[in-house]
Amino acid sequence: MSPANFLNKNPKNQRRENLADRIYGQIKEMIFNFQLLPGDYFSEAEIAERFEASRTPVREALYRLRREHYVEVHFRSGWQIKPFDFKVFEELYDVRILLETAAIERLCNMTETPPLLQELRDFWLVPEAQRVGDISLSEQDREFHSCIVEAAGNREMARIHRDISERIHIIRRLDFTKGYRIAATYEEHGAILEAIEHRRIDHAQRLMTAHIAVSRDEVRKITIHMLQEARARHQEASDSESPEPLKNS
């Protein structure tokens, strides 16, 4: 057995990788739930203490998050949740418009409606009493847009779109802290699906462009106060046994 294969099969290395994956996932969840805000500082020691882990899996998790643009390291002051770059977010939204309107054109030119679209209709075209009314709808919203692109049949387009969706997911969640945005999302998604169903390409593309543009414009209104409010709401809703957020340095 080669040294590389031995290392891959070593149970100790496997346990470390599993722990690094768990720490990565939980820190990411803390960022998405606004327990850690853009600009917050923390140390590897704080993370290691919180998760009762050694520095090695903590460092692996943090460098993975760094590659995905969630955190950055400052060699004198430790780690920081990456501050929002609103210019980058707006550019990513523009790329979404290009991808999703292109996907709509492909869908409207298909002779048969993909099953994924029927699944979307089953979720979004429901009576008001059956609608989801909280921030958890952000996950379904992300799936709606990803499924539109996926159903168009271009795997590379779908991969690029999912990567973009992941990068902007944290700010998209803020849309779903507002009741009027939740209601609007149902109405707008339903109208887009109806337009695709009837092969109205131009109309469906205009609806999608306007829908994404509204979300993009909401990004410009985000303030630190809004993020702090979102964190407070999450903490109130959390289980009382949940650990406290990391303190800011």
Side-chain angles (χ1 to χ4, degrees):
M1 181 183 294
S2 71
N5 287 337
F6 173 78
L7 289 173
N8 288 338
K9 295 178 181 293
N10 189 319
K12 185 176 180 180
N13 288 336
Q14 186 66 48
R15 287 194 298 272
R16 189 187 71 197
E17 290 172 5
N18 291 341
L19 181 56
D21 286 343
R22 179 172 67 83
I23 294 170
Y24 159 84
Q26 291 185 324
I27 295 175
K28 192 172 181 180
E29 184 177 355
M30 291 170 69
I31 294 170
F32 282 171
N33 288 333
F34 315 110
Q35 292 169 278
L36 289 170
L37 298 181
D40 281 356
Y41 283 92
F42 58 92
S43 68
E44 289 180 11
E46 286 179 290
I47 297 293
E49 181 180 358
R50 179 187 181 90
F51 294 107
E52 299 180 344
S54 68
R55 291 286 190 89
T56 300
V58 166
R59 191 171 293 118
E60 289 176 3
L62 290 173
Y63 273 99
R64 182 177 172 187
L65 289 163
R66 184 192 185 200
R67 289 193 298 272
E68 295 178 5
H69 309 284
Y70 291 108
V71 302
E72 50 193 17
V73 62
H74 303 278
F75 293 103
R76 292 190 176 182
S77 52
W79 292 84
Q80 182 184 31
I81 305 302
K82 194 167 184 178
F84 283 166
D85 187 331
F86 291 101
K87 177 64 175 174
V88 170
F89 284 144
E90 289 191 12
E91 290 174 350
L92 291 174
Y93 270 94
D94 289 342
V95 176
R96 275 188 61 205
I97 289 173
L98 293 173
L99 291 173
E100 294 186 36
T101 53
I104 283 173
E105 181 175 3
R106 292 171 69 96
L107 289 169
C108 288
N109 285 323
M110 290 180 177
T111 55
E112 295 184 8
T113 301
L116 266 178
L117 290 191
Q118 185 55 53
E119 293 176 20
L120 293 178
R121 291 176 62 87
D122 291 343
F123 181 85
W124 292 101
L125 293 169
V126 294
E128 189 171 345
Q130 297 177 24
R131 295 177 176 179
V132 176
D134 56 42
I135 198 170
S136 66
L137 187 65
S138 65
E139 300 296 337
Q140 296 295 336
D141 172 72
R142 177 164 60 168
E143 279 304 300
F144 169 84
H145 292 278
S146 293
C147 286
I148 289 288
V149 179
E150 184 179 339
N154 185 311
R155 289 179 296 179
E156 283 303 301
M157 185 187 294
R159 179 187 62 78
I160 293 168
H161 184 273
R162 284 193 178 272
D163 288 345
I164 291 171
S165 294
E166 180 74 8
R167 290 180 63 183
I168 64 176
H169 185 55
I170 184 172
I171 56 172
R172 287 173 69 183
R173 283 171 62 84
L174 285 171
D175 255 357
F176 297 92
T177 61
K178 309 166 190 170
Y180 74 91
R181 289 295 299 143
I182 291 175
T185 297
Y186 270 99
E187 299 301 327
E188 291 164 13
H189 284 188
I192 291 166
L193 290 170
E194 291 286 9
I196 294 173
E197 177 75 15
H198 292 94
R199 305 296 194 269
R200 300 175 62 190
I201 297 177
D202 290 344
H203 183 55
Q205 289 178 324
R206 284 195 298 272
L207 289 173
M208 183 66 84
T209 298
H211 173 65
I212 297 174
V214 168
S215 183
R216 180 194 61 204
D217 293 343
E218 287 292 316
V219 169
R220 298 171 182 155
K221 303 175 186 176
I222 293 173
T223 65
I224 290 298
H225 179 65
M226 287 175 61
L227 295 173
Q228 291 170 337
E229 285 184 332
R231 174 157 68 181
R233 281 193 296 269
H234 175 79
Q235 289 176 349
E236 289 174 3
S238 295
D239 186 346
S240 60
E241 296 181 0
S242 297
E244 293 296 319
L246 295 175
K247 59 181 179 295
N248 299 341
S249 298

